[in-house]
Amino acid sequence: MPNSHSRVQLFSTCLVETIRPQAGLAVVTVLERLGFEVEYPSGQTCCGQPAFNGGAWGEAAPMARHTIDVLSRSDAPVVVPSGSCADMIVHHYPELLADDPVYLPRAQALAARTYEFAQFLVDVVGLTDAGGLGAGPVVYHASCHLLRGLGVRNQPRELLSHVQGVDVRALNGSEECCGFGGLFAVKMSDISGAMLQTKLDHIVESGATTVVGCDISCLMHIEGGARKRGLPVTVCHLAELLAAQPSADAA
C-alpha cells in the first residue's frame, strides 16, 4: 500500500474532461483514499489519437510531443481513466515518434510508467478489492483498446466483483465491440449502429440496469443508443462505483 508521499499523475483525457468529469473526480477520490498524492499537470490536451487513427500522423505528432512534455515534468506514474488513450501513449507514441531521436526515448520512458486506472490498481498497487458501492444488476463492457491494446481483461472484473450492492450479471458478447471505435462511428455509421443494437440486445437479455466500463467513449455510445430505444439502462465508469462508499449511518 502506498505511503502518504506516493505520487501519481492524472491524465484526464478529452472525453472525461468534457463529457463526464465526475469519472475523473472519482479516480482522484479512489487514489487519494489509497494514500496517493494526485498531481494534475497543467496544459493537458488531446493525446492525438483521433488524428493518429485517421492517418494524420503529421498532426498527431505535435500533440504527442506536447503530451510527453506535460507528463515528463514529473517522474510519477501516469494514471489514465481510459484504455483507449492509455493505449495511445503506451503503444502508439513510440511508433509515431520512431524517427525522432529526441522524443522517441522520452516516449518510451513515458510509456513505461503509464497505466489505465484499473490496471494501475490491480497490477501496480496490488489491489483486487478497492471497496465501492452500487445498486442492482450490472454488466461489464470490455472496451476494445483496453482489452486488445493493453491486454487488460480481468482487472476491472476483479474490482467490480467486490463492489457492495451490485449484482454482476453475465453479458453475452461482453468482449465484442460496441460499435463506437472513434472515427469508425462517424465514417461507417450504419455498421456502427448495427453493432450498437447487438450490444444493446445483449444488455437487455442480461436484465442489467447499469453498464459499467472503463472508457467514456464506449459508455457514451451505449448510453446514447439506450436512450434512443427508451431502455431503462444507465452507464457508469468503474471509478465512480469504486469511489462511492457506504454512509456512516448505513454502517
Side-chain angles (χ1 to χ4, degrees):
M1 188 67 66
N3 59 48
S4 60
H5 302 291
S6 298
R7 297 175 297 113
V8 296
Q9 300 183 81
L10 173 65
F11 183 68
S12 63
T13 79
C14 298
L15 288 181
V16 167
E17 183 173 327
T18 59
I19 302 296
R20 202 172 179 99
Q22 61 265 42
L25 293 172
V27 170
V28 174
T29 296
V30 173
L31 292 173
E32 288 184 341
R33 192 170 70 217
L34 293 173
F36 287 98
E37 177 186 344
V38 182
E39 302 172 350
Y40 187 80
S42 62
Q44 295 187 37
T45 185
C46 178
C47 67
Q49 182 183 179
F52 178 82
N53 290 346
W57 285 29
E59 287 73 19
M63 288 187 274
R65 294 188 186 97
H66 174 77
T67 300
I68 291 169
D69 288 340
V70 167
L71 298 177
S72 295
R73 298 180 197 138
S74 167
D75 61 0
V78 177
V79 177
V80 189
S82 162
S84 179
C85 297
D87 180 58
M88 178 68 187
I89 295 172
V90 170
H91 291 128
H92 298 306
Y93 275 12
E95 178 185 7
L96 180 63
L97 301 171
D99 296 327
D100 188 324
V102 174
Y103 274 87
L104 175 59
R106 298 186 71 197
Q108 292 169 329
L110 176 59
R113 56 186 175 85
T114 297
Y115 307 91
E116 182 274 332
F117 172 66
Q119 180 187 38
F120 181 76
L121 292 184
V122 176
D123 295 348
V124 179
V125 181
L127 285 177
T128 55
D129 183 353
L133 180 68
V138 306
V139 289
Y140 170 69
H141 166 68
S143 52
C144 292
H145 285 95
L146 180 63
L147 176 64
R148 297 171 180 85
L150 294 176
V152 174
R153 170 176 274 109
N154 295 323
Q155 295 92 323
R157 291 183 170 92
E158 284 279 356
L159 293 165
L160 181 59
S161 71
H162 290 94
V163 173
Q164 294 182 34
V166 298
D167 171 17
V168 182
R169 302 284 181 88
L171 176 63
N172 188 24
S174 65
E175 297 187 353
E176 294 176 4
C177 180
C178 69
F180 181 69
L183 296 177
F184 172 78
V186 177
K187 292 184 174 181
M188 307 188 76
S189 58
D190 289 344
I191 299 175
S192 170
M195 295 169 72
L196 174 60
Q197 295 310 313
T198 299
K199 178 66 66 174
L200 292 173
D201 289 343
H202 292 327
I203 293 169
V204 171
E205 291 167 3
S206 74
T209 55
T210 303
V211 179
V212 180
C214 297
D215 278 79
I216 294 302
S217 54
C218 299
L219 293 175
M220 177 180 66
H221 190 57
I222 292 170
E223 184 175 42
R227 287 183 179 179
K228 190 172 182 179
R229 280 177 55 169
L231 301 177
V233 174
T234 60
V235 301
C236 184
H237 192 283
L238 175 63
E240 296 175 74
L241 289 183
L242 299 184
Q245 292 288 289
S247 67
D249 291 340

